[in-house]
Amino acid sequence: MIKSYLRKIISLVLIVTIALFSFSQGAIALTGKYTDDTLTVIESLTQVIETPADASIEVKRENQTLARKQINDYVSRYRKNNKYSGLKSFTTMQTALNSLAGYYTSYGNRPMPEKLKKRLLQEFKQVEFAIKKGY
């Protein structure tokens, strides 16, 4: 019980820290290096996805705003670039980002279903694997 409570508190502190740091910089700035940007966005969105269900409404809204900004920035930077748009890592990443953006558009205030979380995290792992292999 204590471990569960402690884990939730640590997660919440990390999320708030990331949100405050990101908002002070206008979200995570993309560098233009596809692999670095992809891994950074995955790391950030994973933390957003793993937000505890009992987190405050303000934290959830900040996370949602941060996630939407990152999704828009990432997709707008790399979608039209033929060098990346054909890569397996990019198409899988785009599928995951579309799913997350669609969830926020339709069900933004509801807790994220475990099935969606599991799928997004799996797709992020596939993207990381594809990037390491150069796909």
Side-chain angles (χ1 to χ4, degrees):
M1 171 138 165
I2 293 175
K3 285 184 180 179
S4 174
Y5 183 69
L6 185 60
R7 196 175 308 143
K8 288 180 182 178
I9 289 175
I10 290 172
S11 296
L12 184 61
V13 168
L14 286 172
I15 290 167
V16 169
T17 303
I18 289 169
L20 292 175
F21 180 76
S22 297
F23 281 122
S24 68
Q25 294 183 349
I28 294 174
L30 299 178
T31 63
K33 297 178 183 175
Y34 173 73
T35 55
D36 294 342
D37 289 347
T38 302
L39 295 174
T40 301
V41 170
I42 286 173
E43 181 181 330
S44 177
L45 292 179
T46 298
Q47 291 175 349
V48 169
I49 290 168
E50 293 177 342
T51 302
D54 58 349
S56 70
I57 297 290
E58 292 82 24
V59 170
K60 289 180 182 179
R61 284 185 185 152
E62 287 176 4
N63 286 341
Q64 188 179 93
T65 302
L66 172 67
R68 285 178 183 242
K69 172 113 175 75
Q70 289 178 343
I71 290 168
N72 289 337
D73 290 350
Y74 180 85
V75 172
S76 65
R77 178 178 279 267
Y78 294 109
R79 178 182 12 187
K80 292 187 178 184
N81 189 334
N82 291 335
K83 182 177 178 183
Y84 306 114
S85 63
L87 294 175
K88 179 177 170 128
S89 60
F90 180 77
T91 56
T92 305
M93 183 70 166
Q94 191 169 10
T95 300
L97 297 178
N98 286 341
S99 298
L100 185 57
Y103 167 76
Y104 283 142
T105 299
S106 300
Y107 310 106
N109 293 330
R110 294 183 187 170
M112 186 176 289
E114 284 301 316
K115 186 175 180 180
L116 178 59
K117 282 183 189 180
K118 186 176 178 181
R119 190 177 119 222
L120 289 171
L121 294 174
Q122 179 62 36
E123 287 176 343
F124 288 158
K125 285 180 187 178
Q126 290 173 353
V127 170
E128 289 173 342
F129 179 77
I131 284 176
K132 288 177 184 172
K133 292 290 185 179
Y135 303 140

